[in-house]
Amino acid sequence: QVQLVESGGGLVQAVGSLRLSCTASGRIFSGDAMAWYRQAPGKQRELVALIMRSGSTNYADSVKGRFTISRDNAKNTVDLQMISLKPEDTAVYYCNRVLMPYNWGQGTQVTVSS
């Protein structure tokens, strides 16, 4: 059974930066489109950034120019570099496969103070 483990979250001041990392057990990433999602309190989970097998990427309008998704298929990791963070970026961040998602991991909390 595939397990996803997210890490790298924390408390940061506005305009600060964080780098999130997602590691999967098992060799599952190479052919899959992967994404980072986030869920803020009282809101639905939303897709933040995705990366295709080819390396092409797409981002939610709210994070374009500030977030960068990357992947290392050899290491089974997907990272999310976040800069110029805003209080509205506060959420629990998750990674998962875009199509036929695996069981969700615990996520990693990102809190941005103003």
Side-chain angles (χ1 to χ4, degrees):
Q1 187 173 0
V2 172
Q3 286 189 320
L4 300 168
V5 179
E6 301 91 352
S7 62
L11 173 64
V12 64
Q13 289 186 329
V15 307
S17 62
L18 283 173
R19 187 177 183 90
L20 308 183
S21 185
C22 172
T23 302
S25 62
R27 193 172 180 82
I28 61 170
F29 280 169
S30 60
D32 297 326
M34 297 295 297
W36 280 94
Y37 301 79
R38 68 185 181 188
Q39 187 167 19
K43 295 187 177 181
Q44 289 190 331
R45 187 175 291 155
E46 63 172 345
L47 189 148
V48 172
L50 68 84
I51 185 165
M52 306 297 288
R53 174 184 181 182
S54 63
S56 62
T57 59
N58 205 353
Y59 299 91
D61 287 343
S62 59
V63 306
K64 278 182 182 176
R66 300 188 298 119
F67 289 12
T68 303
I69 189 172
S70 61
R71 67 192 294 165
D72 186 329
N73 292 334
K75 294 182 179 179
N76 272 1
T77 59
V78 180
D79 289 353
L80 186 69
Q81 178 68 50
M82 309 185 294
I83 65 171
S84 301
L85 283 162
K86 304 175 180 180
E88 51 263 44
D89 295 319
T90 295
V92 180
Y93 285 70
Y94 305 85
C95 71
N96 212 326
R97 186 166 61 173
V98 174
L99 297 178
M100 298 177 63
Y102 299 109
N103 290 335
W104 293 91
Q106 298 279 359
T108 185
Q109 175 71 49
V110 172
T111 303
V112 184
S113 63
S114 57

